Amino acid sequence: MISNRLQAIAAFIPPAKRIVDVGCDHGYIIIEAFQKYQIESAVALDNKAGPLSKAFNNIRGYGFFDRVNFVLSEGLEQFYAQADAFILSGMGGLNIINIINNGLDKLGQARLIIQANRHAFEVRTYLTNQGYYLVNEELIFEGGKYYEIELFEKTEEPVFYHEDELYFGPLLLARKSEIFMNKLRHDLRILKAISHPMPKHLKTIKRIEEILC
Ligand SMILES: C[S@@+](CC[C@H](N)C(=O)[O-])C[C@H]1O[C@@H](n2cnc3c(N)ncnc32)[C@H](O)[C@@H]1O
């Protein structure tokens, strides 16, 4: 059984049938995608041989093994196929932005499934500036950490988000689910424990308090 985080990431794959897992490491997302979402093919891509061979070894026992390409690549540099969904998860947001920015011409109309460990605001800002909008968002709490999982798609009609939406996630902010409110309380505790808060910390404290009250 794979983690709730990985299951939630894979749940954003349909209706995509050809997926690329950028930074695949263990390859579990690809296994989940074949088993649960009947994808046709996958690319397991990583920039390090160790993680890529981990994915290779984890996937090779399955019947769909011959429908997976294993690609050693820095970002999308060595990716030349076409796909309906790119998954970039478990990496820092700035790294994710860098990978996407260097591979923009390879993305076509594919959906992007993103779970950035940090800098989600920067990722949302960057992608909306590139003509994407947020189709769905999911917040997962696992192992004492919160994970924001985001589904972006290309749009012809630009969608504008205000700063709070980019900061907290527009759909998460609108839904105000229990887990989202718990995350805000958690973030607020951390921010209030900073002994010499900077103006950006004070601004975030104010924003969170406004949402919570
Ligand atoms: C922490 S793992 C996350 C694995 C999986 N995506 C997940 O969500 O559990 C990050 C993986 O991304 C790979 N990675 C980091 N930067 C990369 C880049 N620029 N291009 C390709 N792979 C990268 C790392 O080698 C590592 O295997």
Side-chain angles (χ1 to χ4, degrees):
M1 172 69 100
I2 66 168
S3 70
N4 290 336
R5 176 182 68 89
L6 294 175
Q7 287 186 53
I9 291 167
F12 279 170
I13 290 171
K17 292 289 176 198
R18 299 165 303 170
I19 68 165
V20 187
D21 187 2
V22 183
C24 62
D25 195 1
H26 37 67
Y28 292 151
I29 296 173
I30 289 176
I31 295 173
E32 176 85 351
F34 273 105
Q35 290 185 326
K36 240 191 215 167
Y37 302 112
Q38 292 80 44
I39 61 161
E40 288 165 8
S41 63
V43 173
L45 183 152
D46 208 286
N47 67 348
K48 293 176 203 77
L52 195 60
S53 61
K54 212 191 299 176
F56 185 92
N57 288 328
N58 286 338
I59 294 172
R60 76 170 153 192
Y62 291 94
F64 47 78
F65 173 68
D66 60 355
R67 287 187 277 150
V68 183
N69 273 331
F70 296 85
V71 177
L72 185 64
S73 173
E74 174 54 44
L76 295 174
E77 273 175 21
Q78 304 302 320
F79 173 77
Y80 302 108
Q82 292 199 330
D84 319 308
F86 290 81
I87 300 153
L88 298 101
S89 67
M91 292 182 270
L94 302 183
N95 190 19
I96 288 174
I97 291 172
N98 199 34
I99 291 171
I100 294 173
N101 202 41
N102 290 330
L104 276 177
D105 55 326
K106 307 195 173 174
L107 301 179
Q109 297 301 308
R111 51 178 45 200
L112 306 181
I113 302 162
I114 311 264
Q115 181 264 302
N117 288 343
R118 299 186 60 206
H119 294 115
F121 168 78
E122 285 80 357
V123 173
R124 291 186 192 105
T125 305
Y126 169 77
L127 283 174
T128 50
N129 286 337
Q130 291 297 331
Y132 287 84
Y133 77 110
L134 272 148
V135 177
N136 207 346
E137 292 182 299
E138 181 82 59
L139 189 59
I140 296 289
F141 182 67
E142 188 168 72
K145 286 188 190 159
Y146 291 91
Y147 298 97
E148 294 161 298
I149 299 160
E150 324 239 88
L151 173 60
F152 291 89
E153 282 182 12
K154 272 262 179 198
T155 173
E156 294 300 317
E157 298 285 317
V159 178
F160 296 100
Y161 298 105
H162 62 69
E163 202 184 344
D164 278 358
E165 289 178 310
L166 291 170
Y167 193 85
F168 296 107
L171 304 168
L172 296 174
L173 185 60
R175 290 179 194 142
K176 291 193 175 53
S177 64
E178 195 181 332
I179 180 173
F180 176 73
M181 300 305 260
N182 286 343
K183 178 181 185 297
L184 291 191
R185 287 182 204 103
H186 168 266
D187 291 350
L188 191 59
R189 275 195 300 278
I190 291 173
L191 285 162
K192 286 196 163 176
I194 297 173
S195 49
H196 300 291
M198 294 179 355
K200 67 173 184 181
H201 298 134
L202 297 172
K203 188 175 167 188
T204 309
I205 287 174
K206 189 164 172 282
R207 279 168 157 170
I208 294 180
E209 284 178 337
E210 280 168 9
I211 299 167
L212 287 175
C213 74

